[in-house]
Amino acid sequence: MRSDQVERRLKLRELRILLTVVKAGSMAKSAAELAISQPNVSKAISDLEHAFGVRLLDRSSHGVEPTAYGLAVIKRATAAFDELRHYADIRIMPSRWPFVLVIGLFGPAYRHNPGLHTGRFAVDFAVFT
């Protein structure tokens, strides 16, 4: 799959769900924590796996564990969300809105997917928590 196809399919909501699933250790626990249905959690993970073209989680009766690919995505998603939180501290003059937020991927994710290094998001008003 081409990197521009991944960019079009990648959603921050799905990345947040992935992080919650791994932290909770199961789809059911993460669904309860996120206050969404378990099928919606499963679909979000499936959509992410489809977007990247790899399995991100190993599922068993004991819960879920990230694969090597999952660990790489989790590392970059964590860094992206950490970076987004910094934007909440920035005060931009009203005349500067809207602005474009660019998120970059580095390390193994970039080397294996050189076209996947940036995503552009138009932001009219945002508070990141």
Side-chain angles (χ1 to χ4, degrees), residues 47-98:
D47 289 348
L48 271 178
E49 290 177 331
H50 181 71
F52 283 108
V54 295
R55 191 164 214 41
L56 300 175
L57 299 174
D58 285 328
R59 298 151 178 89
S60 74
S61 59
H62 302 291
V64 297
E65 289 289 328
T67 64
Y69 295 109
L71 289 173
V73 171
I74 289 162
K75 181 178 178 180
R76 299 315 319 147
T78 300
F81 281 112
D82 287 346
E83 190 64 28
L84 287 172
R85 276 191 277 284
H86 292 291
Y87 282 93
D89 298 333
I90 298 173
R91 301 292 183 242
I92 297 175
M93 304 265 308
S95 64
R96 304 272 316 264
W97 292 94

Side-chain angles (χ1 to χ4, degrees), residues 110-121:
Y110 177 76
R111 282 193 296 278
H112 296 295
N113 300 288
L116 183 64
H117 65 289
T118 62
R120 296 175 98 68
F121 304 89

Side-chain angles (χ1 to χ4, degrees), residues 14 17-49 55-66:
E14 293 168 351
I17 290 171
L18 174 66
L19 294 176
T20 305
V21 167
V22 171
K23 181 180 172 191
S26 80
M27 300 278 197
K29 288 178 186 176
S30 63
E33 184 176 326
L34 294 166
I36 61 176
S37 70
Q38 186 171 341
N40 282 340
V41 170
S42 295
K43 178 160 180 9
I45 299 301
S46 176
D47 289 348
L48 271 178
E49 290 177 331
R55 191 164 214 41
L56 300 175
L57 299 174
D58 285 328
R59 298 151 178 89
S60 74
S61 59
H62 302 291
V64 297
E65 289 289 328

